[in-house]
Amino acid sequence: MSSSIEWKVAAERDLMNLGSRPRLFVRGEGSHLWDDEGTRYLDFLGGIAVNCLGHAHPVFVEAVSRQAATLAHVSNLYTSEPQLALAARLKRLAGTGEQGRVFLANSGSEANESAIKLARLHGNPRGAQTILCLEGAFHGRTTGALSLTPKAAYQDPFAPLLPGAKAIPVTIEALEAAFAEGGVAAIVIEPIQGEAGVRELPERFLARARELATAHDALLILDEVQTGSGRTGRWFAFQHPDVVPDAVTFAKGVAAGFPLGGLITFGAASELFSPGTHNSTFGGNPLASHVADAVLGFIESEDLLANVTARGDQLRAAVAEYPIVSGTRGAGLLIGVTLEEPVAPQVAAAALERGLIVNAPAADVIRLAPAYTIGDAEIDEFLNLFREALAAVAQTQEIPA
Ligand SMILES: *Cc1c(COP(=O)(O)O)cnc(C)c1O
């Protein structure tokens, strides 16, 4: 593509009409991206919490290259060493013990579809068909996962959705009332609601969900597509409050940019699937599996989770002082910067103009999800650009400082 006009025309004409794409990127290295005009950007969104080692990291490049040159795909009729290695590592990192099992798929939505089928396998013999989700939840765009994503703009055009899906307010009272009604097969929860604007759960919410699910013989399923794979400073966010789920889904950061998602089960939930009930042609292929195993292995051997925690604290403390910032949320390097006014889209646009990539999952929230490898240099660059973007928007909005 020789000019920005040309790619914009091609994008509008050829790509499905699903939203504007303000830049065309051609290259990445570390925490930086370059567009077609040679402009450099600091990437603090990480492809929506995916590029946990940044761009073109040697571990990623080497894993993709070596495995692609060795064995890329054998189908779900067979297995491979990378698939076995990844499953064993995921069980260990999730702390399932012997009884855990792993199903590998290709995306977060597919991982959650697998979890929904797990909920049916558990609930159907008990006559329990309700699958609870939370208001503000995002579980994906496939129709099952969409049924657990209670947002009118996403759901309404695709009705009717999955029978039994039910959204409840994010309060302990609503949780107790929903279980008291009976018929609950499972409850699906994000430990931190990323797409809703990095919203944390109320105190003790997860622990209470665990108690109620156990008491009512329902599954507690955690969607850690965004919070898992080390993003919050632990391998999985559920390891902060130390609540043990029956199943957890993951995707986004797990292979640092290679498409892979999956489901990990704990205890008796590990025996629900049986031959013929589920599978995926690409799922668990040796290429994706090896990349994920190498990425997770590198995060472990370099103790990058300590960096995730430390850099997250550093960023939260620094931005709290900035113009129009009212506070911060999240854990580790999944950060929501809340604003005093609903100007987050303008802030994200002003940041992009200055060479900084962040996004606005809600009108008053900027999300940061940078690479686990960031250091002082990236943070200094971020702070300068972010403060400028905030100041520029504060000025145009004439918001009193
Ligand atoms: C991104 C996301 C999904 C969907 O993942 P895809 O890979 O886009 O299908 C599901 N759940 C959560 C919590 C997510 O953040």
Side-chain angles (χ1 to χ4, degrees):
M1 292 285 151
S2 54
S3 79
S4 70
I5 304 298
E6 273 179 49
W7 73 256
K8 281 176 183 158
V9 168
E12 286 224 350
R13 181 191 58 220
D14 299 339
L15 299 180
M16 205 59 77
N17 183 21
L18 298 172
S20 76
R21 297 171 169 89
R23 292 291 185 280
L24 180 145
F25 288 114
V26 295
R27 188 170 75 81
E29 192 186 320
S31 286
H32 291 94
L33 284 168
W34 284 263
D35 71 11
D36 60 312
E37 293 175 348
T39 305
R40 188 176 98 134
Y41 298 80
L42 178 69
D43 183 6
F44 258 47
L45 181 59
I48 316 184
V50 167
N51 297 298
C52 63
L53 300 184
H55 300 278
H57 192 283
V59 167
F60 179 86
V61 173
E62 154 78 11
V64 173
S65 313
R66 186 154 34 99
Q67 193 59 40
T70 305
L71 186 67
H73 179 82
V74 294
S75 93
N76 55 40
L77 299 175
Y78 309 98
T79 189
S80 64
E81 282 171 359
Q83 184 183 36
L84 296 176
L86 177 60
R89 187 187 296 276
L90 287 168
K91 280 179 61 173
R92 177 167 57 78
L93 299 183
T96 66
E98 272 287 295
Q99 256 206 303
R101 289 186 187 274
V102 175
F103 174 73
L104 296 170
N106 312 286
S107 68
S109 296
E110 265 183 88
N112 288 332
E113 293 297 324
S114 309
I116 290 167
K117 288 179 72 176
L118 189 79
R120 287 286 193 241
L121 287 175
H122 176 81
N124 284 349
R126 295 166 170 79
Q129 298 196 328
T130 301
I131 302 178
L132 299 174
C133 64
L134 304 184
E135 286 178 358
F138 182 86
H139 296 296
R141 303 287 204 155
T142 54
T143 42
L146 180 63
S147 305
L148 303 178
T149 299
K151 186 166 169 176
Y154 292 179
Q155 285 190 333
D156 290 356
F158 305 102
L161 292 170
L162 192 70
K166 184 181 172 193
I168 63 168
V170 192
T171 66
I172 288 183
E173 301 78 72
L175 192 63
E176 290 173 345
F179 274 98
E181 261 182 48
V184 178
I187 179 163
V188 183
I189 301 175
E190 296 159 89
I192 298 172
Q193 294 186 325
E195 296 309 303
V198 193
R199 286 209 319 237
E200 291 162 56
L201 298 171
E203 193 75 25
R204 275 213 27 95
F205 188 90
L206 213 48
R208 189 71 185 120
R210 175 67 281 174
E211 289 166 4
L212 289 164
T214 302
H216 292 263
D217 194 18
L219 298 181
L220 172 64
I221 298 171
L222 299 181
D223 177 349
E224 296 230 27
V225 166
Q226 191 155 159
T227 54
S229 314
R231 175 56 56 188
T232 68
R234 299 277 180 96
W235 291 108
F236 293 93
F238 73 76
Q239 293 163 337
H240 293 279
D242 215 12
V243 163
V244 179
D246 297 294
V248 59
T249 59
F250 59 91
K252 290 202 163 86
V254 69
F258 207 93
L260 186 141
L263 171 74
I264 304 170
T265 53
F266 297 67
S270 300
E271 306 313 318
L272 287 168
F273 280 117
S274 58
T277 52
H278 196 47
N279 234 320
S280 161
T281 301
F282 290 125
N285 70 79
L287 182 50
S289 298
H290 179 65
V291 177
D293 193 46
V295 166
L296 296 173
F298 181 74
I299 295 170
E300 267 199 288
S301 68
E302 299 296 305
D303 195 19
L304 283 181
L305 297 191
N307 197 54
V308 169
T309 301
R311 300 304 181 176
D313 290 347
Q314 191 180 345
L315 279 166
R316 264 184 289 273
V319 300
E321 310 294 315
Y322 281 19
I324 68 170
V325 170
S326 59
T328 60
R329 305 197 284 234
L333 287 175
L334 179 59
I335 300 174
V337 181
T338 57
L339 306 178
E340 287 161 2
E341 304 284 332
V343 292
Q346 291 93 314
V347 170
L352 190 67
E353 287 306 313
R354 286 162 179 77
L356 171 66
I357 300 170
V358 297
N359 92 322
D364 60 347
V365 184
I366 291 289
R367 172 173 44 189
L368 313 178
Y372 302 174
T373 49
I374 58 168
D376 287 337
E378 288 82 2
I379 289 182
D380 287 348
E381 187 182 353
F382 165 77
L383 291 175
N384 285 329
L385 293 169
F386 192 51
R387 184 174 28 211
E388 281 176 28
L390 288 166
V393 172
Q395 213 161 37
T396 60
Q397 298 294 309
E398 292 179 19
I399 294 166

